[in-house]
Amino acid sequence: MLYHLLYAFHADHPFFNVFRYITFRTSYAVLTAFVICFAIGPRAIRRLRQSQIGQQIRKDGPPSHLSKAGTPTMGGLIILMAVLAAALLWADLRSPYVWLLLFSLAAFGWIGFADDYLKFVKKHSAGLRPRYKLLTQTAVAAVIVGILYGALNYSTQLSLPFFKNIHPDLRWVYLPFAVLVIVGASNAVNLTDGLDGLATGPVAVAAVAYTIVTYVTGHRVFADYLLIPYVDGAGELAVICGALFGACLGFLWFNSYPASVFMGDVGSLPLGGMLGTVAVITKHEFLLLLVGGLFVLEALSVILQVASFKMRAKRIFLMAPLHHHFELKGWAEPKVVIRFWIIAIVMALLSLSTLKLR
Ligand code: 57M
């Protein structure tokens, strides 16, 4: 909005010319989202506590979690409000990609809110049935992909890390693939959100990585230089990725160990859905496997554990997802979280290096 309001004055006041720069607006989107989270956090946590929206702890989990019972959850609402406000303030609202990403935030946020509401307000401990959650997530992702390929006539070609000249055209097969990327990312972040700050940190790291990816993908000179697909207008998404980074930093102030608030599904589902949506829009879907490598490891640990248990009646890990395995091996919770953050940072740096290594 500020872009539209203030850039118009640049003819008489050259200073306002700065509002045309994505880098400037992204930087202020980071700061705006951070300050909003930081400012509304304490009051929001008090309101969640007063409303008794506290986490129930499953008995079959690590014993160390039992002391977390009653911790306010649904703190993801803080993140969503901060990202939305910063995006509306600093992004170019004429960009269809901006509205598509905000639709992803709102739609996945709504699914997560419905799940949390049933669990914590209506006290239906199971929340949304898994199949309904998956169905609605798939429907939302299908709408996003449908708009991209229907209204914005996106190419169905794939771009692969390391291979600059290989762009297989999946044609219609690309559509379910893109839906899988978005739904998979949403659920992988959800599974990872099982320790204080364990999802928030890596999402912040992934948001920084995709701030860079969106900027270079939407920049003709950089895209040509890096031999990556140029997506006209994708650079505007850097503003929202920056807002996501700032909001995660602000939320981490309260979600770090010992957490005074959890994000809830209302946070984890849209955070993952947004990362998946950005990966599809910038045509860096496989890069997400690297940028979000930690989320992939966590989801993979569950798949392997369930498959092993079903086929061999034996577990591979002491408990899945992976973070619980290390907890049960005796690692302190902060130790698990910080080490997983380190893995997330290393994987994000590796993923950015593939933009050049091709
Ligand atoms: C999402 N939710 C946390 C919190 C957060 C198929 C199976 C792998 C599913 C999985 C599952 O239930 N996943 C749900 C993970 C939960 O966190 C809440 O959920 C929101 C995110 N969606 O915002 O509101 C618990 O995580 C802890 N937590 C923190 N700090 C945080 O900042 O400590 C969360 C955020 C919270 C709190 O204790 O209650 C969760 O773990 O449920 N199931 C599991 O992950 C379970 N694993 C399991 O059953 N493994 C089996 C099979 C199925 C693979 C096995 O290994 O044999 C574990 N989780 C629980 N109990 N709660 C272990 C058992």
Side-chain angles (χ1 to χ4, degrees):
M1 193 179 348
L2 290 181
Y3 170 81
H4 304 286
L5 288 177
L6 301 178
Y7 180 57
F9 294 106
H10 77 280
D12 305 324
H13 305 280
F15 163 77
F16 290 119
N17 191 48
V18 75
F19 281 88
R20 68 192 278 254
Y21 293 104
I22 287 175
T23 45
F24 171 81
R25 289 186 282 119
T26 298
S27 309
Y28 277 86
V30 173
L31 295 173
T32 305
F34 174 78
V35 167
I36 290 174
C37 269
F38 197 75
I40 68 175
R43 184 178 316 154
I45 293 167
R46 274 198 305 277
R47 289 289 301 273
L48 289 168
R49 197 179 291 282
Q50 285 159 5
S51 315
Q52 269 121 42
I53 299 180
Q55 185 71 49
Q56 295 111 340
I57 304 297
R58 285 169 43 177
K59 300 285 176 286
D60 60 348
S64 57
H65 284 230
L66 296 173
S67 60
K68 295 168 180 270
T71 303
T73 185
M74 293 184 75
L77 288 167
I78 303 168
I79 299 175
L80 300 190
M81 281 187 274
V83 172
L84 202 52
L88 293 175
L89 213 51
W90 295 103
D92 177 352
L93 302 179
R94 294 169 304 179
S95 162
Y97 300 133
V98 165
W99 290 108
L100 200 55
L101 190 52
L102 293 180
F103 167 74
S104 178
L105 175 152
F108 280 102
W110 184 245
I111 297 169
F113 178 84
D115 190 44
D116 288 339
Y117 184 80
L118 285 172
K119 271 189 282 198
F120 305 116
V121 180
K122 290 293 186 192
K123 308 297 180 198
H124 293 178
S125 64
L128 273 181
R129 283 170 180 241
R131 76 168 72 100
Y132 291 146
K133 196 193 279 191
L134 192 59
L135 212 61
T136 42
Q137 286 176 302
T138 305
V140 166
V143 167
I144 293 168
V145 172
I147 291 170
L148 266 181
Y149 295 91
L152 301 170
N153 59 6
Y154 244 54
S155 96
T156 52
Q157 282 190 319
L158 264 188
S159 68
L160 303 171
F162 305 110
F163 301 101
K164 60 180 175 250
N165 298 320
I166 302 177
H167 296 286
D169 190 339
L170 300 186
R171 298 188 187 288
W172 67 270
V173 176
Y174 185 88
L175 306 188
F177 167 74
V179 168
L180 181 68
V181 168
I182 296 171
V183 174
S186 179
N187 286 306
V189 173
N190 182 40
L191 283 174
T192 304
D193 191 30
L195 295 182
D196 295 355
L198 183 62
T200 314
V203 169
V205 170
V208 171
Y210 269 102
T211 299
I212 296 166
V213 168
T214 47
Y215 183 76
V216 297
T217 302
H219 195 296
R220 171 78 75 184
V221 173
F222 286 135
D224 292 348
Y225 167 70
L226 292 169
L227 301 170
I228 57 177
Y230 168 67
V231 179
D232 186 21
E236 206 52 45
L237 294 182
V239 178
I240 302 183
C241 291
L244 181 58
F245 170 57
C248 285
L249 274 192
F251 186 71
L252 207 47
W253 191 271
F254 308 103
N255 182 235
S256 50
Y257 183 86
S260 40
V261 66
F262 298 154
M263 67 171 73
D265 284 33
V266 70
S268 58
L269 295 188
L271 293 193
M274 286 176 74
L275 291 176
T277 304
V278 170
V280 169
I281 292 177
T282 55
K283 304 208 73 57
H284 284 285
E285 307 83 0
F286 281 101
L287 196 70
L288 184 61
L289 293 176
L290 251 180
V291 172
L294 179 77
F295 303 123
V296 174
L297 287 175
E298 291 264 60
L300 219 50
S301 69
V302 171
I303 294 165
L304 292 173
Q305 179 88 325
V306 172
S308 168
F309 199 71
K310 280 188 174 162
M311 289 191 291
R312 304 184 307 149
K314 276 189 201 160
R315 287 182 163 83
I316 300 171
F317 307 99
L318 295 175
M319 187 177 284
L322 201 54
H323 54 266
H324 287 317
H325 173 77
F326 290 108
E327 267 197 302
L328 295 183
K329 279 177 71 76
W331 293 18
E333 180 171 350
K335 177 81 78 180
V336 178
V337 173
I338 300 294
R339 285 181 171 175
F340 276 36
W341 286 358
I342 292 168
I343 293 169
I345 291 167
V346 168
M347 290 188 118
L349 290 172
L350 276 176
S351 68
L352 291 175
S353 70
T354 66
L355 291 177
K356 191 70 195 89
L357 301 174
R358 51 196 315 136

